């Protein structure tokens, strides 16, 4: 499998007054196209920090985050924003939908943000197609407050993939859902990763969800402890 | 581009309606007070305000008080002869007795021949039209206790008041008899400016001269202070409202930033909302003010010109923009990461 995303010797140190805390201690990791890589570990192991650095949501203190050969960690805020808007998709623990937009409008907004070149009618068609994929086309005119937790998360997933991102970042996407809905959501992420050939990096603490991942990276104390596929991972 | 600003207003009608109502009430109050300030100003000094631009001169020893001013006749003659657009005038408060012997308070005004003031022959008087409402008609005979003769009303002029009293234009000869003076108080130089100085005379621009009128500046200052306070309050209202809204939406802003929305677009949404609220609120205020203008009681001095309305509306928009922008500084500070770590909005 080809890797489009490489994390190279990434370190992250937080400074609180005179106290310095090294949360990531030199992480090496490659993500393969069309596969799901799951980051697991105890709370405070650094998995969420690693995901947010990879997604360009915060800078690394040291090291490189290479997306298609370009180091995100060396880019300015506008360059990173452009990549986030057009190449990345995000699913968070909570759906974080825009409360005053309908389901359809949430997806139209994402196409707008990603500077989609599609015409308005084509955009609507694409939105319908993606809503069908996540099984939410029947609720396209609904507002977030009228959706269940599972439905909201499905819409969040649809929003994350509508602009055909190359990488999908999911931070605890099932943490606010019950067991059945969690499985549905993970099955959906897996199906979309495979059919749309997206590279997915997911953070989860739910052991049950790991069966949906292609690779499992166990983290502890800012280091990668174990990887079920050693070819993809280096050690700090 | 998707109109997020309008969509949010539609979905949170009550919230925006409340702000719109407050802006409407504050702007209505501002327009009304401004109308009253302007009306009172007209009532106090329309005689002077409605003159074209020029320079006033009074005796340098008059302590900037026009009714203490006595311009030496030779100085006045020299000035009037040398400056073709100069007019000498005097103003004094007084009384006229109408035909039923009722005293009417007036401001007697007299001037040398000028196109700026009506020409009045001896024994004639031209009054401000407000005297018509008091039952005085053209041809009526009016008297004054200090005047040996009688005044015949020759006509009326519109909106000519001084110190809240209707103006009575009389001939110089009659004026001198009533007030036992031989000198004029003021010289007005049409189109003159402060560069023109004359020995023994103090020069005033029109606005400076208005400020020498007792009560004028005190009255205007208080009312204008209220107007500007209201404008500042409306700016603060915008700042506070959008601050509260932004605090509530920090999570949303963070997520929108995380998915790639530009900070500038978030600002544009806020500005658009500010305009969506302010413009209808101002339009409604302006309409109601015009209605108020028509139904206000006769004696209430109210004057709101389109120019003042447009200026105040523009000031409201600018203040609203500044208020909203200041509160929007939070938007710039929002880190996507913060929002992600927060719970559901």
């Amino acid at each position: 499998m080809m890797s489009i995303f490489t994390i190279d010797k990434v370190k992250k140190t937080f400074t609180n007054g005179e106290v310095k805390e090294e949360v990531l201690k030199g992480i090496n990791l490659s993500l393969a196209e069309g596969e799901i890589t799951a980051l697991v570990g105890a709370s405070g192991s650094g998995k969420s920090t690693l995901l947010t650095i990879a997604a360009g949501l915060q800078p690394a203190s040291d090291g490189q985050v290479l997306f298609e050969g370009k180091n995100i960690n060396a880019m300015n805020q506008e360059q990173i924003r452009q990549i986030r808007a057009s190449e990345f998709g995000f699913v968070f623990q909570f759906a974080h939908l825009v409360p005053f937009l309908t389901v359809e409008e949430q997806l139209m907004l994402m196409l707008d943000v990603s500077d989609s070149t599609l015409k308005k009618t084509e955009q609507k068609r694409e939105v319908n197609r993606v809503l069908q994929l996540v099984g939410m086309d029947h609720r396209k005119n609904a507002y977030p407050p009228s959706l269940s937790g599972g439905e909201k998360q499905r819409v969040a997933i649809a929003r994350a993939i509508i602009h055909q991102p190359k990488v999908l970042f999911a931070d605890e996407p099932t943490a606010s859902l019950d067991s059945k809905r969690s499985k549905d959501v993970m099955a959906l992420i897996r199906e979309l990763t495979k059919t749309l050939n997206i590279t997915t990096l997911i953070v989860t603490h739910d052991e049950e969800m790991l069966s949906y991942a292609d690779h499992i990276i166990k983290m502890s104390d800012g280091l990668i402890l174990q990887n079920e596929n050693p070819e993809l991972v280096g050690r700090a | 581009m998707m109109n997020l600003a309008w969509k949010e207003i539609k979905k949170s009608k009550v919230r925006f309606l409340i702000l719109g109502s407050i802006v409407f009430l504050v702007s209505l109050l501002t327009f009304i007070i401004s109308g009253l300030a302007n009306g009172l100003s007209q009532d106090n000094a329309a005689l002077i305000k409605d003159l074209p631009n020029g320079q006033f001169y009074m005796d340098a020893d008059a302590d900037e008080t026009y009714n203490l001013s006595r311009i030496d006749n030779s100085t006045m003659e020299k000035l009037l002869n040398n400056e073709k657009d100069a007019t000498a005038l005097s103003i004094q408060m007084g009384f006229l007795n109408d035909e039923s012997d009722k005293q009417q308070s007036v401001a007697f005004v007299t001037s040398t021949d000028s196109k700026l003031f009506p020409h009045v022959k001896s024994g004639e008087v031209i009054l401000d039209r407000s005297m018509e409402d008091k039952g005085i008609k053209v041809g009526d005979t009016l008297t004054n206790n200090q005047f040996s003769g009688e005044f015949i009303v020759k006509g009326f002029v519109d909106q000519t008041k001084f110190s809240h009293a209707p103006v009575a234009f009389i001939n110089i000869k009659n004026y001198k008899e009533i007030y036992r003076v031989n000198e004029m108080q003021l010289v007005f130089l049409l189109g003159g400016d402060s560069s023109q100085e004359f020995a023994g005379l103090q020069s005033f621009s029109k606005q400076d001269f208005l400020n020498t009128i007792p009560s004028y500046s005190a009255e205007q200052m208080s009312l204008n202070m209220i107007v500007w306070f209201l404008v500042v309050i409306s700016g603060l209202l915008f700042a506070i409202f959008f601050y509260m809204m932004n605090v509530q939406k920090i999570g949303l802003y963070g997520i929108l930033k995380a998915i790639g929305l530009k900070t500038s677009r978030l600002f544009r949404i806020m500005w658009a909302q500010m305009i969506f609220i302010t413009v209808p609120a101002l339009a409604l205020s302006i309409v109601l003010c015009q209605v108020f203008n028509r139904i206000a009681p006769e004696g209430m001095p109210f004057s709101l010109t389109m120019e003042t309305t447009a200026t105040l509306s523009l000031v409201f928009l600018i203040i609203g923009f500044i208020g909203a922008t200041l509160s929007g500084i939070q938007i710039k500070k929002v880190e996507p990461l913060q929002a992600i770590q927060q719970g559901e909005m």
Side-chain angles (χ1 to χ4, degrees):
Chain A
M1 280 284 176
M2 197 184 137
S3 166
I4 63 161
F5 209 102
T6 308
I7 292 166
D8 182 28
K9 299 187 191 93
V10 162
K11 291 181 181 177
K12 182 70 182 177
T13 307
F14 290 109
T15 309
N16 188 4
E18 287 181 8
V19 183
K20 282 190 175 180
E21 191 188 354
E22 200 173 26
V23 178
L24 297 179
K25 297 171 178 170
I27 301 285
N28 294 322
L29 175 67
S30 289
L31 305 182
E33 211 171 342
E35 295 198 342
I36 297 178
T37 305
L39 292 172
V40 290
S43 181
S45 59
K47 56 188 189 304
S48 284
T49 305
L50 180 60
L51 179 129
T52 52
I53 288 173
L57 293 168
Q58 64 173 322
S61 306
D62 197 13
Q64 289 187 314
V65 178
L66 300 166
F67 169 65
E68 291 185 327
K70 287 176 226 147
N71 184 10
I72 291 175
N73 206 32
M75 290 180 182
N76 65 31
Q77 283 300 309
E78 177 52 23
Q79 289 170 319
I80 296 172
R81 186 202 65 75
Q82 278 176 12
I83 288 184
R84 280 209 306 265
S86 55
E87 310 285 7
F88 294 172
F90 294 94
V91 183
F92 308 106
Q93 180 177 347
F94 297 99
H96 288 301
L97 300 175
V98 182
F100 51 84
L101 296 182
T102 62
V103 166
E104 185 183 40
E105 287 166 347
Q106 309 275 348
L107 273 60
M108 293 292 279
L109 172 67
M110 192 60 232
L111 286 175
D112 187 8
V113 169
S114 64
D115 291 328
S116 166
T117 52
L118 296 176
K119 287 181 188 154
K120 197 90 178 167
T121 47
E122 291 169 338
Q123 286 189 0
K124 287 216 166 195
R125 210 174 301 134
E126 182 62 10
V127 166
N128 275 331
R129 189 184 71 80
V130 172
L131 283 177
Q132 274 172 10
L133 269 181
V134 299
M136 284 299 292
D137 50 322
H138 63 296
R139 303 295 318 264
K140 70 175 183 179
N141 294 319
Y143 284 95
S146 67
L147 302 176
S148 69
E151 284 178 324
K152 281 182 191 171
Q153 206 60 319
R154 281 173 173 270
V155 176
I157 293 168
R159 180 177 67 180
I161 59 157
I162 182 74
H163 56 302
Q164 296 173 352
K166 289 182 178 148
V167 187
L168 177 67
F169 295 97
D171 190 4
E172 307 268 14
T174 58
S176 62
L177 304 176
D178 60 35
S179 175
K180 186 189 174 299
R181 282 186 177 134
S182 295
K183 283 177 186 163
D184 288 347
V185 163
M186 281 309 298
L188 179 63
I189 289 175
R190 182 166 179 85
E191 185 192 333
L192 294 171
T193 301
K194 299 298 171 191
T195 48
L196 303 175
N197 200 32
I198 298 172
T199 304
T200 300
L201 181 63
I202 188 166
V203 163
T204 183
H205 64 276
D206 190 343
E207 298 277 327
E208 261 192 275
M209 300 306 130
L210 298 180
S211 59
Y212 295 91
D214 297 301
H215 305 279
I216 300 163
I217 312 286
K218 284 194 178 163
M219 288 187 68
S220 176
D221 199 23
L223 289 167
I224 291 174
L225 283 187
Q226 189 189 330
N227 185 326
E228 73 162 15
N229 185 349
E231 279 172 25
L232 294 175
V233 187
R235 272 282 172 96
Chain B
M1 188 187 280
M2 184 180 269
N3 195 343
L4 291 175
W6 181 240
K7 284 183 190 296
E8 186 178 9
I9 290 176
K10 275 204 303 188
K11 201 74 186 130
S12 315
K13 287 189 200 82
V14 175
R15 198 184 284 186
F16 284 94
L17 206 62
I18 290 170
L19 178 68
S21 311
I22 297 170
V23 173
F24 158 68
L25 289 174
V26 173
S27 62
L28 180 65
L29 193 58
T30 310
F31 284 136
I32 287 178
I33 291 179
S34 179
L36 287 174
N38 208 26
L40 278 168
S41 154
Q42 283 293 116
D43 209 49
N44 207 343
L47 174 77
I48 306 299
K49 284 185 78 177
D50 293 345
L51 284 175
N53 277 335
Q55 204 72 6
F56 284 88
Y57 296 89
M58 68 169 84
D59 185 2
D61 297 329
D63 198 21
E64 299 191 353
T65 309
Y66 75 92
N67 51 7
L68 295 180
S69 172
R70 301 278 181 272
I71 298 177
D72 180 66
N73 278 327
S74 62
T75 310
M76 187 185 83
E77 288 302 328
K78 211 162 73 184
L79 219 159
L80 293 180
N81 289 335
N82 293 344
E83 305 288 339
K84 72 178 176 64
D85 286 329
T87 309
L89 70 150
S90 283
I91 309 162
Q92 283 288 2
M93 303 309 290
F95 294 98
L96 279 172
N97 305 313
D98 63 17
E99 290 187 329
S100 56
D101 233 14
K102 198 173 160 195
Q103 273 198 333
Q104 304 287 354
S105 175
V106 293
F108 285 111
V109 176
T110 191
S111 70
T112 52
D113 276 350
S114 163
K115 58 187 175 191
L116 300 172
F117 302 103
H119 178 72
V120 193
K121 289 182 196 158
S122 177
E124 290 178 355
V125 65
I126 291 176
L127 298 166
D128 176 63
R129 197 168 297 283
S130 63
M131 294 295 273
E132 238 181 347
D133 301 333
K134 293 177 179 168
I136 294 168
K137 305 180 293 297
V138 172
D140 278 6
T141 306
L142 309 176
T143 58
N144 176 279
N145 298 348
Q146 278 73 45
F147 183 52
S148 57
E150 287 177 337
F151 290 113
I152 294 172
V153 179
K154 290 303 285 183
F156 294 96
V157 284
D158 289 321
Q159 296 280 332
T160 312
K161 289 193 160 188
F162 187 83
S163 200
H164 300 296
V167 161
F169 290 103
I170 56 173
N171 184 270
I172 290 185
K173 210 174 101 191
N174 302 153
Y175 180 92
K176 285 180 175 174
E177 184 191 331
I178 294 172
Y179 291 102
R180 313 281 189 266
V181 288
N182 280 316
E183 300 91 357
M184 299 294 270
Q185 295 167 340
L186 302 159
V187 169
F188 177 66
L189 193 55
L190 178 65
D193 58 55
S194 56
S195 65
Q196 289 164 291
E197 298 281 347
F198 302 98
L201 298 181
Q202 189 175 357
S203 147
F204 297 87
S205 67
K206 204 163 88 174
Q207 189 55 46
D208 289 343
F209 179 66
L210 285 169
N211 289 333
T212 69
I213 300 171
S215 83
Y216 181 87
S217 54
E219 190 179 273
Q220 288 300 302
M221 211 187 289
S222 324
L223 290 167
N224 284 331
M225 194 186 74
I226 296 173
V227 168
W228 290 111
F229 253 112
L230 287 170
V231 168
V232 170
I233 286 169
S234 70
L236 283 174
L237 271 174
F238 273 109
I240 294 165
F241 177 82
F242 280 106
Y243 178 82
M244 303 294 279
M245 293 264 289
N246 291 338
V247 165
Q248 288 172 4
K249 292 196 293 187
I250 277 182
L252 174 63
Y253 288 147
I255 294 302
L256 290 174
K257 278 187 174 186
I259 64 171
L261 206 79
K262 285 182 183 173
T263 307
S264 60
R265 186 161 170 195
L266 294 174
F267 268 90
R268 287 207 303 278
I269 292 171
M270 192 178 63
W271 290 328
Q273 286 174 339
M274 190 277 295
I275 288 168
F276 280 140
I277 295 168
T278 313
V279 170
L282 285 175
L284 197 58
S285 291
I286 292 167
V287 168
L288 276 184
C289 250
Q290 292 309 317
V291 171
F292 179 78
N293 201 1
R294 284 171 204 279
I295 61 165
E298 271 302 303
M300 183 183 277
F302 188 88
S303 166
L304 190 64
T305 59
M306 279 319 288
E307 194 188 339
T308 311
T309 309
T311 308
L312 277 174
S313 303
L314 189 67
V315 168
F316 263 104
L317 282 170
I318 293 170
I319 284 280
F321 177 80
I322 294 170
T325 306
L326 284 177
S327 74
I329 290 170
Q330 297 160 287
I331 298 175
K332 203 166 160 38
K333 288 183 187 164
V334 173
E335 290 292 337
L337 204 55
Q338 274 176 285
I340 295 159
Q341 285 160 355
Q342 273 183 9
E344 184 70 297
M345 290 159 291

